[in-house]
Amino acid sequence: MASSFALLLSLLSIPLLSVSSASSDSVPDFLQCLSHSSLPSYPISEAIYTPQNSSFSDVLQSYIRNLRFMTPETPKPLVIVAAKHESHVQFTVICAKTHGLEIRIRSGGHDYEGLSYVSSVPFVVLDLSNLRSISIDIANETAWVQAGATLGELYYGIANESNVHGFPAGLCPTLGTGGHFTGGGYGAMMRKYGLSVDNIVDAQLVDVNGRILDRESMGEDLFWAIRGGGAASFGVVLSWKINLVRVPETVTVFKVERTLEEGATEIVSQWQEVASNLDEDLFIRLGLSSVNATGGGKTIKASFSALFLGQTDRLLALTNESFPKLGLQKKDCIEMRWVESHLFWFDIPKGTPVDVLLNRIPKFQIYLKRKSDYVKKPIPVEGLEVIWKAMIEIEKVGMAWNPYGGRMSEIPASATPFPHRAGNIFKIQYSANWQEAGINVTNNYLNLTRELHKAMTPFVSNSPREAFLNYRDIDIGNSTEGGFPAAAVYGKDYFKDNFERLVHIKTIVDPDNFFVHEQSIPLP
Ligand SMILES: Cc1cc2nc3c(=O)[nH]c(=O)nc-3n(C[C@H](O)[C@H](O)[C@H](O)COP(=O)(O)OP(=O)(O)OC[C@H]3O[C@@H](n4cnc5c(N)ncnc54)[C@H](O)[C@@H]3O)c2cc1C
Ligand SMILES: *[C@@H]1O[C@H](CO)[C@@H](O)[C@H](O)[C@H]1NC(C)=O
Ligand SMILES: *[C@@H]1O[C@H](CO)[C@@H](O)[C@H](O)[C@H]1NC(C)=O
Ligand SMILES: *[C@@H]1O[C@H](CO)[C@@H](O)[C@H](O)[C@H]1NC(C)=O
Ligand SMILES: *[C@@H]1O[C@H](CO)[C@@H](O)[C@H](O)[C@H]1NC(C)=O
Ligand SMILES: *[C@@H]1O[C@H](CO)[C@@H](O)[C@H](O)[C@H]1NC(C)=O
Ligand SMILES: *[C@@H]1O[C@H](CO)[C@@H](O)[C@H](O)[C@H]1NC(C)=O
Ligand SMILES: *[C@@H]1O[C@H](CO)[C@@H](O)[C@H](O)[C@H]1NC(C)=O
Ligand SMILES: *[C@@H]1O[C@H](CO)[C@@H](O)[C@H](O)[C@H]1NC(C)=O
């Protein structure tokens, strides 16, 4: 911390220029401010990309994970600062604030609505992908992870040191820990260990004054807010300290698919009754999609994909006892190491070297739209029939139902900003993926996704209609219904009763609303 203290002193000597209104006119002053602030041993010039730089597009696009926001029409940043040192983050905050420029903070770039690198106002992208070191302390079962590290790098790094440790986080290895953790972070160990945020014990954050704070110096309120409330409303996360969790040397995965003709409705009915009450070692995710039936026409395919923190025999005994309608058999079960299970979710065959987890760039890119919902009571068979009909009509939008319960129900709704705890049996993700460019194609998929979400209204939570922050959805609050400001709507849907506390903390730590984006925590 000594070096950051010295840095602080040097920051204080920056002349405070009067704040100008946000526009591209401020860019020369902003750049000058950065170059004046640079520390000799960590020149910031190497981190700055303006549109004139031949690498500008590559640097921008290398962390765009939705082709919808990679079009010529997509608004581009005025400048990208791809920080190579913590001081670059500090100076970007100070200089952007001084010169009235908004910033967008990006770690892994998976935001479903591109809010980490797109805006309709003039903005600077502060990219953390180069700050990606991971330091694992197996003896103490902890790790420090920088915001730009991916989940794949973290999982690989843990497994490289221990075959009985892991961390509960998302299924997709290219997610950045910066955005993923601060939005909650769930994965296949959620029922046993909760969310990523439930296992974070410290953090380093650059605040609105450019100071580097840790848990002690930021205080428990701010530390609470960044664990699920979206840190981009409060500061820039540099790194997280996490508690590792225990995993068995051998875990078991399976994927069982059934169509309506093969009894899917009955199995889905039973899944709803049992999935959130099963042994915490078992997570069975249900995927639903409309597919061609073998005999012609359309049907629904239900895919049950699971991670079990144990071996096949105990798994079969469990499903036989609690979920007999699934008809799980020994031949469906594949035993492997925990780290290998991260390949299974992407249908990568067992035996593939796990260093594929170190690939930061996905194999292919798609256009996509996501939405979410929470379900608190099982949907009766007549309801399922209504849903199947809607899905078959809409055809191009699938769903993933993720079971809750277990550890998720034990953690109080106010322990972190993430409020969807006891009482939820599962979360729905709506998903549309497509490959063709064009505004009409896009509008069609957006419309279809909203149509399915609308058709689900009778079966899901209401007042508020709860939604998961990490499944960012710009539709929430974007209607004049009820006359509420958008923030009052997305604030309640994402955070329920925790929203007021987030607004209160925002008021204290960022009273001028510097850390702003299209769905940030507002001032009161
Ligand atoms: C293919 C795919 C699979 C997914 N699977 C899962 C899953 O299994 N579980 C799950 O929970 N979610 C999942 N998600 C959602 C994912 O967790 C969120 O999109 C998450 O925000 C991504 O983090 P990121 O750093 O990659 O994204 P970014 O786009 O970089 O950031 C997302 C948000 O966090 C903010 N942010 C990023 N870094 C920082 C920082 N250092 N400090 C402050 N604010 C920051 C951004 O400004 C933005 O608001 C998935 C998304 C995709 C595209
Ligand atoms: C682009 O920016 C990078 C980083 O600041 C710099 O190293 C590089 O020399 C620049 N290239 C050009 C062609 O300006
Ligand atoms: C790790 O644990 C040991 C023993 O409990 C302790 O002495 C040490 O300070 C810890 N190290 C860190 C980095 O916390
Ligand atoms: C794996 O572990 C070895 C030995 O501890 C270490 O040298 C190496 O850097 C580690 N690799 C990664 C990617 O963590
Ligand atoms: C489903 O059938 C239609 C024709 O009815 C065909 O165009 C389409 O490619 C089929 N889809 C799949 C996934 O086989
Ligand atoms: C499943 O349960 C049935 C009886 O309910 C029993 O006969 C059978 O042996 C069990 N199978 C397993 C794998 O436990
Ligand atoms: C898109 O839809 C509009 C309105 O229906 C139509 O006028 C236009 O021709 C379509 N564009 C393309 C490229 O299909
Ligand atoms: C949206 O989709 C629904 C269902 O397919 C359709 O009836 C409606 O016409 C579509 N609306 C628009 C604006 O495309
Ligand atoms: C909100 O909806 C309006 C009308 O449908 C649309 O024009 C606008 O682009 C939407 N805003 C966002 C941020 O999506």
Side-chain angles (χ1 to χ4, degrees), residues 363-380:
K363 282 245 157 49
F364 60 91
Q365 297 257 49
I366 47 173
Y367 296 82
L368 53 90
K369 171 68 186 173
R370 299 288 187 272
K371 298 179 81 66
S372 61
D373 259 321
Y374 281 88
V375 177
K376 297 179 190 281
K377 34 182 210 299
I379 302 168

Side-chain angles (χ1 to χ4, degrees), residues 163-178:
N163 51 18
V164 292
H165 287 90
F167 189 68
L171 305 179
C172 172
T174 56
L175 299 180
T177 60

Side-chain angles (χ1 to χ4, degrees), residues 404-457:
Y404 273 48
R407 184 81 189 110
M408 290 298 285
S409 297
E410 295 164 7
I411 298 172
S414 61
T416 71
F418 176 97
H420 321 287
R421 303 283 187 170
N424 291 289
I425 59 176
F426 60 95
K427 173 186 65 191
I428 299 177
Q429 181 190 68
Y430 303 86
S431 90
N433 298 328
W434 65 100
Q435 318 265 7
E436 315 123 77
I439 186 74
N440 289 2
V441 177
T442 293
N443 283 339
N444 182 41
Y445 279 96
L446 296 182
N447 175 47
L448 293 175
T449 311
R450 290 168 187 151
E451 289 288 324
L452 184 57
H453 182 260
K454 203 193 294 169
M456 291 296 289
T457 307

Side-chain angles (χ1 to χ4, degrees), residues 122-175:
F123 68 107
V124 169
V125 165
L126 173 55
D127 182 294
L128 286 116
S129 58
N130 294 321
L131 298 180
R132 58 170 89 148
S133 75
I134 298 174
S135 135
I136 295 168
D137 181 349
I138 288 294
N140 288 348
E141 303 188 290
T142 59
W144 274 102
V145 187
Q146 281 191 311
T150 63
L151 293 188
E153 289 168 343
L154 176 61
Y155 297 155
Y156 183 93
I158 296 171
N160 190 32
E161 308 253 338
S162 161
N163 51 18
V164 292
H165 287 90
F167 189 68
L171 305 179
C172 172
T174 56
L175 299 180

Side-chain angles (χ1 to χ4, degrees), residues 334-337 340-341 343-344 348-356:
I334 312 168
E335 294 186 340
M336 54 179 61
R337 291 184 298 143
E340 294 174 299
S341 71
L343 311 188
F344 159 78
I348 301 174
K350 183 183 168 182
T352 306
V354 292
D355 60 10
V356 297

